[in-house]
Amino acid sequence: MLKHFTKGITKRWMLSNLSVVVTIVVLVIAGLLFAVSDVYNTTVQQTLNSACNELSTVFQGYKTETSGTFMNSSREYIENFFYKEKMEIMVINASGRIMMTSTGFTPDEDQPMPDFDSASSSEDGVGRWSGNLKSGENVTAVTRIITNQNGICVGAIRYITSLETVNGRILGISLVITAVGLLIIAIVVMMGIYFIRSIVKPVNELSDMAKKIAHGDFSVTANKKYDDEIGELCDAVKDMSTDLQATDQMKNDFISRVSHELRTPLTAIKGWAETMQLNSEGKIDRATFEKGMNVIIKESSRLTSIVEELLDFSRLQSGRMVLMNEKLDILAELDETVYMLKERAISENKHLLYDEPETTFPPVYGDRNRLKQVFLNIIDNALKYTPAGGVVAIQIIYDKKQEPDKIKVVVTDTGCGIAPEDLPKVKEKFYKANQKVNGSGIGLAVADEIMTLHNGSLDIESGVGVGTTVTLTFPIYNENKNPDIPQTEVVRI
């Protein structure tokens, strides 16, 4: 866990958000401490200044030049002074000696009085000082010079108060403010760590899960704890794992099916080739020879078809499909495909219904071999899934009023149909709804990709036990979009 706190998201949070929060809290604490100290010290100074300002009234109009009268007035002032309990008053003669104090104790002549010296030399006759006495006590003092009407100094009044209580209060408040600040930082840190953990821990789990998926383990699942972006990411990874597991299973099934599809014709070819080789000295009859050659030719064609289908799928997946686009008659290509499959339908006791339209259809723009491949795949599937005695009907439609820019080829069969849960997936690669019928499971995916490359569509409607209808939609040739070029246009996809 410590490792996660020294790198990644946690480290960035520590260096950015937490540092900003700590800096702000420290600045606020420093500001509050300064403000508290300033308020208390200002209050003490104001109290001293207020008391000092009273002297201008108490000793106003002072005319005598003798110190005795000053001492008597000072004694009376001390006796009636309101703030005796808060501060000490000292009466100082003109030579700077302390004559009396409000406490009644004998004054210490050795105590420093910088404020008296300052007051003696200042224009307003007022001096201030803050410092420590010899005893170590922290004090602040204000001294005011008293003069007669001739401006001659007759003495001074000094106010001195201890700052120990004030400093104690400032320290107590400072400790409280600092403690509150540290508590705020601690709460922010704990909340931040909890929040970061709520992100980092699921992300680490998802990272470990992704590594396992990358190594082929699709059974792992993500634990969704929060209904937020992290939760959505968990759902996405879980769905990805499920889809990859399904795709991997389909891939394995596909390999198994293709292996079977390849093994069957290879076995037939090898068997008949060995039979004909053993009878190469003329002992084989003509009928057996013809039958063997037919099987070899038929199975070789079947192998070629499977290999071509796999190659087409590979080209589509890698983007190397080449289209030889040109303006062509789609009706002619459909007629040729139907003609190729008529004998097969008859041999399998199935009815292949197709009436060639007498009307003329507008041309389409595309690759004739690829479009013929689509027709062959769709009609072949229809025959493959239709039982003996069933019907496969083919119809080409061009509605000039309703859809003047489209031509449709509709292939309908009376086969077993496709289950509703399988219908959305039948055009996916490797997917095979009916495992009992031979096939690789990629023919429909290839056909759908070819239709997409021609800006067309392949739509399927089906019901179990009812049959299936496949509708191929082709855009007609447009001179503006598909200019009539004499040479064949080669398009690499």
Side-chain angles (χ1 to χ4, degrees):
M1 182 60 68
L2 181 61
K3 182 178 179 181
H4 295 313
F5 277 88
T6 58
K7 68 174 186 177
I9 297 175
T10 306
K11 181 178 180 181
R12 292 203 304 271
W13 180 79
M14 294 287 288
L15 293 177
S16 57
N17 294 21
L18 183 58
S19 60
V20 171
V21 171
V22 171
T23 301
I24 293 174
V25 172
V26 169
L27 290 176
V28 171
I29 291 175
L32 289 175
L33 294 180
F34 176 79
V36 169
S37 178
D38 184 67
V39 167
Y40 272 93
N41 289 323
T42 301
T43 302
V44 172
Q45 290 295 332
Q46 287 179 347
T47 303
L48 291 175
N49 291 335
S50 177
C52 186
N53 291 334
E54 290 180 356
L55 297 179
S56 60
T57 303
V58 174
F59 295 95
Q60 184 179 12
Y62 192 67
K63 299 179 180 179
T64 181
E65 296 183 3
T66 63
S67 59
T69 306
F70 168 69
M71 290 298 173
N72 292 332
S73 300
S74 298
R75 184 178 293 107
E76 183 180 354
Y77 172 70
I78 291 175
E79 290 176 355
N80 297 319
F81 187 62
F82 183 74
Y83 297 108
K84 283 183 183 180
E85 297 179 357
K86 294 183 178 181
M87 65 184 73
E88 180 183 1
I89 304 176
M90 296 180 178
V91 178
I92 305 173
N93 61 18
S95 60
R97 182 181 178 186
I98 301 174
M99 304 303 296
M100 69 178 73
T101 65
S102 60
T103 60
F105 295 106
T106 303
D108 186 359
E109 299 291 344
D110 294 333
Q111 291 289 355
M113 292 192 301
D115 49 307
F116 176 78
D117 298 333
S118 175
S120 299
S121 59
S122 65
E123 295 181 359
D124 58 356
V126 178
R128 296 176 177 82
W129 171 74
S130 294
N132 294 327
L133 301 178
K134 290 183 178 181
S135 61
E137 182 181 7
N138 186 237
V139 298
T140 184
V142 175
T143 298
R144 178 156 187 168
I145 301 297
I146 305 299
T147 60
N148 59 18
Q149 60 184 359
N150 297 321
I152 300 174
C153 174
V154 295
I157 302 295
R158 187 185 190 216
Y159 301 89
I160 183 170
T161 184
S162 175
L163 296 178
E164 296 295 328
T165 302
V166 173
N167 291 338
R169 291 180 180 179
I170 293 175
L171 178 61
I173 295 175
S174 299
L175 292 175
V176 172
I177 293 174
T178 303
V180 171
L182 293 176
L183 179 62
I184 292 174
I185 293 175
I187 292 174
V188 171
V189 170
M190 289 188 293
M191 291 180 63
I193 292 174
Y194 175 78
F195 177 70
I196 292 298
R197 281 181 177 176
S198 69
I199 296 176
V200 172
K201 186 176 180 180
V203 168
N204 288 334
E205 291 178 354
L206 290 174
S207 178
D208 294 337
M209 182 178 176
K211 292 177 182 177
K212 291 179 180 179
I213 292 175
H215 288 86
D217 183 6
F218 304 119
S219 61
V220 293
T221 57
N223 297 321
K224 180 180 179 181
K225 296 181 180 179
Y226 307 100
D227 190 17
D228 53 10
E229 289 82 358
I230 297 294
E232 292 177 359
L233 182 59
C234 290
D235 290 338
V237 174
K238 184 178 180 180
D239 293 341
M240 179 187 69
S241 176
T242 303
D243 292 342
L244 286 175
Q245 188 174 15
T247 302
D248 186 65
Q249 183 61 43
M250 284 191 293
K251 181 194 69 176
N252 294 334
D253 293 341
F254 166 75
I255 293 173
S256 177
R257 286 195 302 270
V258 169
S259 299
H260 176 74
E261 290 287 327
L262 293 174
R263 187 186 298 113
T264 301
L266 285 173
T267 302
I269 292 172
K270 182 180 178 182
W272 276 104
E274 290 175 348
T275 300
M276 295 171 68
Q277 185 182 38
L278 291 173
N279 296 275
S280 60
E281 298 179 356
K283 297 178 181 180
I284 187 171
D285 60 274
R286 186 66 186 177
T288 303
F289 179 80
E290 291 289 342
K291 182 178 180 181
M293 289 302 297
N294 287 334
V295 170
I296 290 175
I297 293 172
K298 180 181 177 182
E299 295 303 324
S300 297
S301 298
R302 183 178 172 187
L303 277 176
T304 301
S305 177
I306 294 173
V307 172
E308 284 296 328
E309 194 174 65
L310 292 173
L311 289 174
D312 285 340
F313 179 75
S314 175
R315 293 187 189 105
L316 286 170
Q317 290 297 103
S318 61
R320 293 182 291 106
M321 173 67 76
V322 178
L323 295 183
M324 308 292 288
N325 286 339
E326 59 181 324
K327 184 168 69 173
L328 54 87
D329 182 3
I330 193 172
L331 183 59
E333 307 307 323
L334 180 61
D335 289 345
E336 186 175 340
T337 305
V338 173
Y339 180 78
M340 291 170 57
L341 295 171
K342 272 189 177 181
E343 291 299 325
R344 173 187 165 185
I346 294 173
S347 65
E348 294 178 357
N349 192 25
K350 299 172 185 178
H351 303 284
L352 184 59
L353 304 181
Y354 173 68
D355 293 328
E356 183 178 346
E358 297 180 356
T359 58
T360 303
F361 288 85
V364 299
Y365 191 70
D367 186 323
R368 64 174 69 248
N369 292 326
R370 296 301 177 187
L371 294 183
K372 191 181 296 183
Q373 180 182 349
V374 172
F375 295 147
L376 187 62
N377 181 280
I378 299 303
I379 300 173
D380 176 75
N381 275 349
L383 290 171
K384 189 185 301 181
Y385 290 99
T386 299
V391 177
V392 175
I394 303 168
Q395 184 181 12
I396 183 168
I397 302 172
Y398 175 60
D399 190 339
K400 191 173 183 179
K401 293 182 179 180
Q402 297 295 329
E403 294 180 305
D405 56 345
K406 295 178 181 178
I407 294 177
K408 294 184 178 181
V409 174
V410 182
V411 179
T412 304
D413 65 62
T414 57
C416 58
I418 304 172
E421 61 271 17
D422 293 325
L423 191 58
K425 304 177 183 178
V426 293
K427 293 192 288 185
E428 296 178 2
K429 58 182 179 181
F430 308 136
Y431 192 82
K432 199 168 187 295
N434 193 333
Q435 303 294 333
K436 298 179 181 179
V437 180
N438 292 332
S440 62
I442 60 173
L444 203 57
V446 172
D448 183 60
E449 287 288 345
I450 292 174
M451 290 300 298
T452 301
L453 295 177
H454 283 82
N455 297 318
S457 63
L458 188 157
D459 301 302
I460 304 175
E461 296 179 359
S462 185
V464 177
V466 177
T468 303
T469 298
V470 178
T471 302
L472 303 172
T473 304
F474 302 88
I476 65 171
Y477 175 81
N478 188 313
E479 292 185 357
N480 296 324
K481 294 182 179 180
N482 313 112
D484 189 6
I485 303 174
Q487 296 181 351
T488 301
E489 180 187 8
V490 179
V491 180
R492 288 189 180 272
I493 304 301

